[in-house]
Amino acid sequence: MKKLLWPGITAVLLLAYPLVFTTPFQQRLGALVLLYAIAASAWNIVGGYAGQISVGHVVFFGCGAYASLALFTHTGLPPVLGMPLGIAAAVGIAAIIGTPTLRLSGHYFSMATIAVAELARLVTTNTEFLGAAVGLSGPTVPRTWLDLSFISSVPYYYLFLAVLVITLGITWWMERSRIGFYLRAIRDSEKAARSLGARAPRVKLIAYLLSAGLTSVAGSLYALMFQFVDPESGLGILISVKMLIMAALGGAGLLFGPLVGAAILVPLEEISNSLLGGRGAGLTFVLYGAIIVLIARFRPDGILGLFQSARKAPEKHDA
Amino acid sequence: MLEATGISKVFGRLRAVDDVSAEVRQGEILGLIGPNGAGKSTFFNCLTGDLAPTTGSVRFLGEDITTRSPEARAELGLARTFQLPQTFTGMTVLENVMIGAFLRTSVTAEARERARRILDIVDMAHLAQTPAKTLGTPGRKRLEIARALATEPKLLLLDEAMAGLNPTEVRAAIDLVRVIHGMGITLVIVEHIMEVINSLADRVIVFHQGREIARGTPREVTGDPTVIEAYLGKRASRAGGRT
Amino acid sequence: MSATLVQVIVGGLLLGAIYALFSSGLTLIWGMMNVVNFAHGDFVMVAMYIAYVVYVLLGGGPLASVPIAAVSLATIGILAYFLLVRHVMRGPMIAQILGTFGLALLLRYSMFGAAGANFLSLPDNLVGGTYEIFGIRLQASRVVAGIVALLVTAGLHLLLTRTSLGSKMLAVSEDATAAQLMGIRPDYMQAIAWGIAAGATGIAGALIATFFYISPTVGETLAIIAFVTVALGGFGSVPGALVAGLLIGLIESLSAYWIGGVWKDVVVYILFIFVLWFRPQGLMGKS
Amino acid sequence: MMKRSPWAALAVASLLAAGLSGGAFAQQTVKIGAIYPLSGNAASAGTSAKAAIELAVDIINNDHPELGDITLAKGTGLPNLKGAKVEVVFADNQGTPAAGQNQALRLITEEKVVALHGAYQSGITTTASAIAERYGIPFMTGESVAANLTERGFKWFFRTTPIASDIADVYVSFLKEMKAKGMKIDNLVIVNENTEYGTSIAKVVGDTAKAGGFNVSMVIPYSANTTDVQSQVLQLKDAKPDAAIFISYTSDAILFTKTMQALGYKPPILIGDNSGFSDASYLRTVGPIAQGVINRSAWDIGKPGSPTFLINEMYKKKTGNDLDDTSGRVMQGFLALAEAVNRAGSTEPAKLQAALKATDLKPNQLMMGYKGIKFDAKGQNILASAMLIQAQGDQYVAVWPKESATAELKLPYKAWEK
């Protein structure tokens, strides 16, 4: 029972947040935290658990966002119906690029993913069907409730919360099953993991596909909320980096790491932008940069890494 | 149970292993020895699947495994340890062993149970919840063996499992290998400590400059003039006798 | 071959030499320490502003700005190493990305706050204008940058392969513990490597400033090209960065001329992915 | 293990969020929100726009009789609102549509602004104005040109700037006139950056030119924020156009001008479409090698002593730069918005919307060279227009059409030659 205490309190706080914080901006802030937490948690599966640092995950985010809004633009169907298409596209693309790139180790994998993401952005910028440089818009004036276009952020908040719970549930299940153990083993030593029978290429690919599909869901949810995507906002490298930073800040490879990272960085960015952005001196990013640097310097394992290492006995054995 | 036939491995212009054949018989302990750079580790890695031999073939339990991946070999019952321990530093000792155990079960609780039994065997049960990164070299070497055992191998390949250990630790490790052998597991050990080979191996293959220069029982081999010349020469003459 | 095509090729090679120039520092750090410096583009940016300040304050061109930028950047590099990089290197790879990306934001927006968002530029005749040789137009500033690129590449290569400092640095990069046993202090060697790499980046920035615009976000534009150049050439291979830089410059120029400007990066990325596929260690990297 | 931290982090987040709410609102002021790119790649343009709006606020809030008929210049504050002062709350859109929309929401719900102005990049204007539409708050843009902005059926969206079709008409009429005067103008080339701005303008200009009987022999799109444009310049050189039209942001405009000099190529007529060519950084950095470049603009400094001249002086005093067209359009949009607020005599959204719809400003009331400001049902200013200006010396001067010209048109394009 004790084990469930803190997750329980977290759950209650998350459920109660929009009821306690009632201004539209606070509620939107909450929704954004959850949205980024979903994306970062999805990234965490392959980047955190498997240790394959993808810096091109925005490709999958873009799949979701573009699938939703392209479906609406070309057929008039509600964007939410594009979500399965986005997942299918993301998983398909992940299968195509994952097979060759997952063989690469360390920085080579990171570089390959950056290249793929930039390629996707450039091609989309020149593809009329995907709105080219202008981008795609959603139904700004909702036609039916299925368009999921709300003035208030509260419906988005609970929708995102539900998806986050599913994402974390999948991650939790994975963490405790054989594939989760294999992923962590591969992160530490792929050679050893394979010698013990872990089918590393297959295991990594499964994680990559799962991560891609969930990231795509985050992209679709983004499209539902903002109802607009263009190459920079849907496929820009900054979004990949944000997923990575949030997961790393909270603790990569830990279940709640990305949520903690998002809960710190999203409000930090939005609030500092609100308070300082209008002065136009770039102070928001100075602050943002400084905090990231400090975390990397003093807590390289992320904020939750502290609790993780405190839990386990630190003394040296027979060294 | 394992047959390697005509194995050669070429790196660029270097012939690291040149036409070596070996057979491992059920239930025996085979030693591979030779000075550094003699090619024994390269040959070893061709057996484990980490390197693909340039020519030659490897058969295990009657199956051709020359091009099989390391994980496929593990599944067939071929396990190995690494010269430099490849510990999963982000896990506990128990979790390290569970990785091996997962080869034979996909159920986490089951894997944990099996891992615990293995830790009992290797006498590390008290360290189960310890983070593996806090182990020193002897602990890590032992953990390597425990992980490999958890895969329930028929043949276990040990790569310099005693290197870097002090005499007491070496004796403990030799005892452990005997226990493993007693469980009916066939072993191939790569070693440069003759003491280990002498006390453990049934047969020995001696490598020099990528070739096999002698094979036989440890006693036969250490008496072989070619071996003394190539490998033991200096040491033997300096010591004024044979080990 | 038409004169225009020759011009395209010559221009592409000169551009490529410049890519190589601002990538050499990155490849050194990447190869030696397995650290990706996401702030690399912003190091170039800082050097460009230094060149601008030197011009405004002293009226000086590259003769003054290159040494000043090199020394300043080397200092920044060494500071960055001791204050940040040394510590994040102990953490997981992701901590390095986090740390250097944060540093990039810090540098970019500190400059933004200090210098404003406006675009700046040095006068065009600062480095001797443009010459026409056999119908090919050569911009002196680019030619100078190209020559310096070759010199810096050669210098770094010789340093690594022919000097005792270089072999000490390589020893540290191969096995820091073993190097330490041989009496080499890894942190000193790594700090020196950061100093040299950042210094080379300073030279690059000061030279690029003579023909490029200067703005706080210019580093972003340059950084991705530098990453691709380094990965294509092989991490840590200084000659590799030169070859890759020249190749990318040439391909960009030709594909922009033949296929169109919007597709040149597409061609480069596709080539890059193909190379990674078939030769993951890059063109001249060690496997 | 890890349970304390998410809780703590959420608590911090909540506290921060709580800190944002509340806050008393000053009385006797009318708050208007302005969303601009104050960081990121477009920050140069965004900071200029911010300075322009601050100047507009100065003109509204303080007595400026010297500015003649310019709206709200005379007297202080908004007379119909008991002289209430205008207060602008700036927000940084960080160059992303998401941040633009978040800030729009904040300005509306937290800052309680009565109207919004912005957001430079058309994509961000799209998302930011969508929030204003849902909340029923007027959104005015003085600068975003994407055609689809006024095609969304919005009731709260207004735009004062000329859009692609207006711009294309100006170019084509100009070229026709030059042709009629005997210049050889058949072959046109368009060079455009490939974001939404460049792509949309290039398409409309190309179509209009073809319809006007010109041969558009080549369209050269390129990636914005590129490192090198040599090949594009050589393509242009090969095409030997009689006139080249560039649609570029600042960094690329500077790079093109430098590269053209390096390669020794200049077309007989070079038209730079506003944006990059209008940025004050452009003339300051490459002015000496871009003599005679023609720029589309609705802004002209005018004769010494004229209201526009004085506005430029004030802007120059504030920023050190001449006012550029983009910032001028921003300023005009903001002045028109403030004028409507004053005319409404209320900050009630519905009255504001009605006042905006009824806007009818004459050229003498404007600082920009529009034929007036009057919105159609979609919110587009039907009297928006532009003129052509040319770089002569260290500034742009109006050269076409004749009636607004303040200096002689000088052709062909001289670039770096004396």
Side-chain angles (χ1 to χ4, degrees):
Chain A
M1 270 327 276
K2 216 177 157 190
K3 257 181 118 175
L4 290 173
L5 183 64
W6 286 110
I9 289 176
T10 309
V12 170
L13 283 175
L14 285 174
L15 280 170
Y17 177 86
L19 309 175
V20 178
F21 296 96
T22 49
T23 76
F25 188 65
Q26 290 165 342
Q27 290 172 339
R28 167 171 282 238
L29 205 56
L32 286 175
V33 167
L34 298 178
L35 178 62
Y36 282 108
I38 295 168
S41 297
W43 179 91
N44 196 30
I45 292 174
V46 72
Y49 287 96
Q52 310 291 313
I53 313 289
S54 165
V55 196
H57 244 52
V58 73
V59 170
F60 310 124
F61 184 86
C63 281
Y66 270 101
S68 290
L69 295 181
L71 181 76
F72 167 75
T73 306
H74 296 293
T75 68
L77 291 169
V80 68
L81 297 180
M83 200 181 276
L85 292 179
I87 296 174
V91 171
I93 290 177
I96 294 168
I97 63 179
T99 313
T101 54
L102 284 168
R103 288 181 319 163
L104 303 170
S105 58
H107 295 313
Y108 287 101
F109 175 76
S110 303
M111 291 315 303
T113 54
I114 289 185
V116 169
E118 281 294 285
L119 202 56
R121 185 179 66 82
L122 290 168
V123 170
T124 305
T125 306
N126 296 297
T127 305
E128 211 53 56
F129 182 78
L130 296 174
V134 179
L136 297 173
S137 294
T140 325
V141 185
R143 303 160 303 175
T144 65
W145 66 270
L146 256 180
D147 280 340
L148 299 181
S149 175
F150 311 109
I151 294 179
S152 163
S153 298
V154 176
Y156 293 118
Y157 181 93
Y158 285 109
L159 175 65
F160 296 173
L161 185 59
V163 176
L164 179 66
V165 167
I166 294 170
T167 306
L168 291 181
I170 292 174
T171 313
W172 182 85
W173 167 82
M174 188 204 74
E175 192 182 34
R176 267 147 193 78
S177 66
R178 175 159 76 171
I179 186 169
F181 276 84
Y182 275 173
L183 286 174
R184 286 160 61 205
I186 289 166
R187 177 180 61 189
D188 286 343
S189 169
E190 180 165 344
K191 201 161 70 169
R194 295 183 69 168
S195 82
L196 296 171
R199 293 187 189 169
R202 209 180 75 169
V203 169
K204 281 196 284 187
L205 189 63
I206 291 172
Y208 197 54
L209 299 183
L210 182 62
S211 173
L214 289 170
T215 310
S216 159
V217 172
S220 289
L221 295 177
Y222 170 89
L224 284 179
M225 183 158 170
F226 289 99
Q227 308 224 338
F228 176 78
V229 65
D230 64 4
E232 206 46 58
S233 62
L235 292 161
I237 190 170
L238 203 64
I239 300 168
S240 300
V241 175
K242 268 191 183 170
M243 290 184 216
L244 183 159
I245 286 180
M246 283 173 195
L249 189 86
L254 299 173
L255 185 61
F256 287 107
L259 174 60
V260 170
I264 292 171
L265 281 183
V266 174
L268 175 78
E269 188 180 343
E270 291 300 329
I271 293 172
S272 65
N273 186 27
S274 300
L275 297 177
L276 305 170
R279 293 190 201 165
L283 281 173
T284 308
F285 288 104
V286 173
L287 189 68
Y288 199 84
I291 286 178
I292 295 173
V293 165
L294 289 176
I295 299 266
R297 162 71 180 78
F298 294 102
R299 288 249 56 85
D301 289 319
I303 291 167
L304 290 187
L306 179 71
F307 297 83
Q308 180 82 346
S309 44
R311 181 181 59 135
K312 289 173 180 172
E315 76 262 37
K316 273 241 171 202
H317 290 271
D318 62 5
Chain B
M1 68 198 306
L2 181 81
E3 295 149 55
T5 322
I7 300 290
S8 295
K9 179 70 192 178
V10 182
F11 295 109
R13 267 171 293 175
L14 176 76
R15 234 164 215 284
V17 175
D18 190 3
D19 191 26
V20 176
S21 299
E23 187 198 351
V24 184
R25 298 173 199 139
Q26 177 93 44
E28 74 169 345
I29 300 182
L30 174 68
L32 303 179
I33 61 170
N36 278 335
K40 60 182 190 302
S41 274
T42 307
F43 180 71
F44 184 87
N45 281 324
C46 290
L47 302 185
T48 60
D50 281 284
L51 290 174
T54 314
T55 59
S57 69
V58 183
R59 296 177 71 80
F60 181 62
L61 299 173
E63 272 190 71
D64 187 343
I65 59 164
T66 317
T67 55
R68 295 277 184 90
S69 62
E71 53 267 36
R73 291 176 202 226
E75 201 156 325
L76 285 172
L78 188 68
R80 57 103 31 115
T81 65
F82 292 88
Q83 188 179 347
L84 294 172
Q86 301 283 319
T87 313
F88 302 132
T89 47
M91 300 183 181
T92 63
V93 166
L94 181 70
E95 285 169 337
N96 262 271
V97 182
M98 282 171 73
I99 298 298
F102 268 121
L103 181 59
R104 305 296 172 203
T105 174
S106 59
V107 182
T108 309
E110 172 80 21
R112 188 172 289 121
E113 202 37 54
R114 291 181 189 210
R116 281 192 199 284
R117 286 206 295 273
I118 300 290
L119 284 179
D120 280 337
I121 294 171
V122 301
D123 203 14
M124 290 180 86
H126 60 293
L127 296 173
Q129 296 304 329
T130 306
K133 67 178 167 197
T134 63
L135 293 180
T137 307
R140 289 184 180 207
K141 293 238 166 190
R142 195 163 268 255
L143 181 56
E144 290 267 308
I145 296 174
R147 276 187 335 201
L149 274 184
T151 66
E152 298 176 8
K154 298 186 177 72
L155 173 61
L156 178 58
L157 307 166
L158 300 178
D159 194 357
E160 308 215 359
M162 324 274 170
L165 305 190
N166 68 33
T168 327
E169 290 156 359
V170 168
R171 272 191 295 282
I174 289 176
D175 290 343
L176 176 58
V177 173
R178 290 226 171 87
V179 170
I180 293 167
H181 190 226
M183 291 160 67
I185 295 169
T186 311
L187 288 127
V188 174
I189 52 180
V190 174
E191 267 311 332
H192 61 255
I193 308 177
M194 279 312 291
E195 184 196 345
V196 174
I197 294 290
N198 283 340
S199 60
L200 283 176
D202 300 317
R203 288 191 309 131
V204 178
I205 298 177
V206 187
F207 283 78
H208 183 58
Q209 291 176 348
R211 292 164 188 271
E212 173 197 327
I213 55 168
R215 70 167 68 191
T217 64
R219 192 169 297 275
E220 285 163 11
V221 168
T222 45
D224 188 324
T226 341
V227 177
I228 299 167
E229 172 70 27
Y231 175 47
L232 303 167
K234 285 175 201 159
R235 226 166 73 187
S237 52
R238 206 184 308 125
R242 285 159 204 162
T243 35
Chain C
M1 210 188 299
S2 76
T4 314
L5 193 56
V6 176
Q7 178 82 57
V8 170
I9 291 170
V10 170
L13 289 173
L14 277 179
L15 177 70
I18 290 148
Y19 287 170
L21 179 62
F22 67 66
S23 305
S24 56
L26 185 67
T27 200
L28 194 67
I29 291 173
W30 205 329
M32 264 206 60
M33 276 162 262
N34 206 22
V35 169
V36 192
N37 182 10
F38 271 76
H40 183 76
D42 299 274
F43 278 29
V44 178
M45 179 274 296
V46 172
M48 291 170 83
Y49 272 96
I50 290 173
Y52 184 80
V53 170
V54 167
Y55 167 74
V56 171
L57 290 186
L58 311 171
L63 275 183
S65 63
V66 165
I68 294 176
V71 171
S72 319
L73 264 288
T75 314
I76 294 177
I78 291 169
L79 282 178
Y81 175 76
F82 279 114
L83 296 178
L84 175 67
V85 178
R86 192 163 59 128
H87 307 280
V88 299
M89 275 175 70
R90 297 195 194 117
M93 178 174 142
I94 198 168
Q96 304 165 8
I97 298 181
L98 205 62
T100 56
F101 184 78
L103 181 63
L105 283 181
L106 260 183
L107 287 174
R108 193 176 304 161
Y109 284 97
S110 302
M111 191 56 86
F112 189 100
N118 283 335
F119 289 86
L120 304 171
S121 167
L122 293 174
D124 280 83
N125 49 8
L126 204 56
V127 191
T130 304
Y131 301 94
E132 188 160 334
I133 299 162
F134 303 121
I136 306 298
R137 308 268 309 185
L138 293 173
Q139 209 178 340
S141 50
R142 286 186 183 236
V143 174
V144 169
I147 292 168
V148 173
L150 296 177
L151 291 177
V152 168
T153 306
L156 286 178
H157 188 60
L158 289 178
L159 176 85
L160 285 179
T161 54
R162 295 287 150 82
T163 66
S164 75
L165 177 66
S167 38
K168 279 182 193 167
M169 281 164 53
L170 286 179
V172 169
S173 86
E174 302 256 307
D175 187 342
T177 326
Q180 198 158 19
L181 292 175
M182 286 153 56
I184 304 171
R185 284 202 52 176
D187 54 343
Y188 281 11
M189 286 303 130
Q190 290 178 337
I192 291 172
W194 267 82
I196 292 172
T201 309
I203 296 173
L207 286 170
I208 294 168
T210 59
F211 58 87
F212 212 70
Y213 60 86
I214 306 168
S215 83
T217 52
V218 69
E220 247 182 330
T221 309
L222 301 174
I224 287 199
I225 286 288
F227 285 149
V228 173
T229 306
V230 168
L232 190 62
F235 299 123
S237 168
V238 176
L242 179 67
V243 171
L246 292 174
L247 195 64
I248 291 175
L250 192 60
I251 290 170
E252 278 198 350
S253 272
L254 286 173
S255 54
Y257 183 67
W258 281 329
I259 312 173
V262 293
W263 298 107
K264 67 175 185 182
D265 293 323
V266 172
V267 175
V268 169
Y269 286 126
I270 289 176
L271 170 91
F272 174 63
I273 291 167
F274 262 90
V275 169
L276 277 187
W277 195 333
F278 292 109
R279 205 180 151 76
Q281 70 270 36
L283 294 174
M284 297 179 74
K286 283 168 275 175
S287 55
Chain D
M1 53 188 272
M2 59 192 78
K3 288 119 197 173
R4 228 176 95 195
S5 201
W7 176 81
L10 285 171
V12 169
S14 320
L15 281 174
L16 284 168
L20 262 187
S21 66
F25 304 111
Q27 290 307 309
Q28 299 305 326
T29 60
V30 171
K31 275 195 186 184
I32 297 178
I35 303 170
Y36 283 93
L38 300 175
S39 60
N41 273 327
S44 177
T47 30
S48 299
K50 178 169 180 270
I53 288 182
E54 284 166 352
L55 180 57
V57 170
D58 173 27
I59 290 172
I60 296 164
N61 285 351
N62 300 308
D63 190 19
H64 286 280
E66 74 280 11
L67 295 180
D69 294 334
I70 301 282
T71 49
L72 298 173
K74 284 196 195 96
T76 59
L78 303 173
N80 295 358
L81 282 147
K82 298 178 194 143
K85 305 270 183 190
V86 169
E87 184 193 339
V88 179
V89 187
F90 286 99
D92 180 7
N93 71 29
Q94 301 182 328
T96 72
Q101 189 173 82
N102 296 340
Q103 291 302 314
L105 178 75
R106 180 180 68 89
L107 293 177
I108 292 170
T109 61
E110 307 269 324
E111 298 285 351
K112 316 276 187 216
V113 298
V114 302
L116 285 169
H117 197 273
Y120 191 68
Q121 296 101 327
S122 292
I124 303 179
T125 306
T126 305
T127 57
S129 59
I131 282 286
E133 185 74 15
R134 290 183 195 175
Y135 276 87
I137 295 284
F139 192 106
M140 169 79 86
T141 182
E143 70 285 348
S144 296
V145 295
N148 59 1
L149 283 173
T150 42
E151 301 299 323
R152 297 176 294 170
F154 279 18
K155 295 178 180 65
W156 298 87
F157 186 76
F158 300 89
R159 167 156 70 184
T160 51
T161 184
I163 55 172
S165 52
D166 304 319
I167 293 162
D169 285 341
V170 173
Y171 293 146
V172 173
S173 336
F174 167 71
L175 291 172
K176 274 184 179 161
E177 193 180 311
M178 293 300 113
K179 195 173 177 178
K181 281 186 177 168
M183 274 188 83
K184 179 187 171 298
I185 300 177
D186 297 310
N187 184 10
L188 303 185
V189 170
I190 298 170
V191 182
N192 68 285
E193 57 94 26
N194 73 335
T195 72
E196 147 273 322
Y197 159 64
T199 317
S200 55
I201 304 252
K203 192 173 179 310
V204 178
V205 169
D207 292 348
T208 314
K210 276 177 208 152
F214 292 101
N215 171 32
V216 180
S217 67
M218 200 185 243
V219 177
I220 307 176
Y222 68 90
S223 308
N225 276 320
T226 185
T227 50
D228 184 62
V229 294
Q230 191 167 224
S231 298
Q232 284 84 340
V233 171
L234 291 170
Q235 280 178 317
L236 184 64
K237 195 174 177 179
D238 283 352
K240 295 190 186 64
D242 301 315
I245 301 171
F246 278 73
I247 304 146
S248 301
Y249 282 123
T250 314
S251 58
D252 303 326
I254 294 173
L255 210 52
F256 264 112
T257 309
K258 288 187 162 213
T259 307
M260 292 204 321
Q261 186 206 19
L263 293 173
Y265 172 71
K266 51 190 175 61
I269 297 178
L270 193 151
I271 297 173
D273 180 70
N274 197 295
S275 189
F277 293 86
S278 290
D279 189 325
S281 305
Y282 179 78
L283 275 194
R284 207 184 48 240
T285 53
V286 292
I289 58 168
Q291 286 301 303
V293 65
I294 294 170
N295 186 344
R296 174 263 303 185
S297 176
W299 169 242
D300 175 43
I301 293 169
K303 297 189 175 65
S306 64
T308 48
F309 183 87
L310 294 174
I311 288 175
N312 188 56
E313 287 301 302
M314 289 160 77
Y315 184 81
K316 209 169 179 174
K317 207 172 136 199
K318 189 174 166 66
T319 64
N321 295 319
D322 281 323
L323 183 66
D324 58 275
D325 176 70
T326 310
S327 307
R329 284 184 290 134
V330 169
M331 207 169 148
Q332 183 63 74
F334 189 85
L335 286 170
L337 177 60
E339 190 274 337
V341 175
N342 181 52
R343 200 152 26 77
S346 158
T347 54
E348 211 177 289
K351 288 189 179 156
L352 221 53
Q353 185 191 33
L356 277 162
K357 283 186 169 166
T359 298
D360 186 7
L361 296 175
K362 303 296 174 216
N364 60 324
Q365 294 176 284
L366 306 179
M367 54 175 282
M368 300 301 282
Y370 303 155
K371 292 177 194 131
I373 295 180
K374 197 171 190 171
F375 298 108
D376 64 13
K378 294 170 176 173
Q380 172 62 34
N381 176 14
I382 48 172
L383 298 175
S385 64
M387 56 192 162
L388 296 180
I389 54 177
Q390 189 173 36
Q392 296 184 2
D394 60 357
Q395 61 183 15
Y396 280 115
V397 290
V399 290
W400 191 90
K402 250 232 156 73
E403 54 273 23
S404 15
T406 54
E408 189 80 13
L409 176 69
K410 290 177 185 164
L411 287 175
Y413 176 49
K414 277 197 304 195
W416 54 89
E417 280 166 13
K418 295 285 174 266

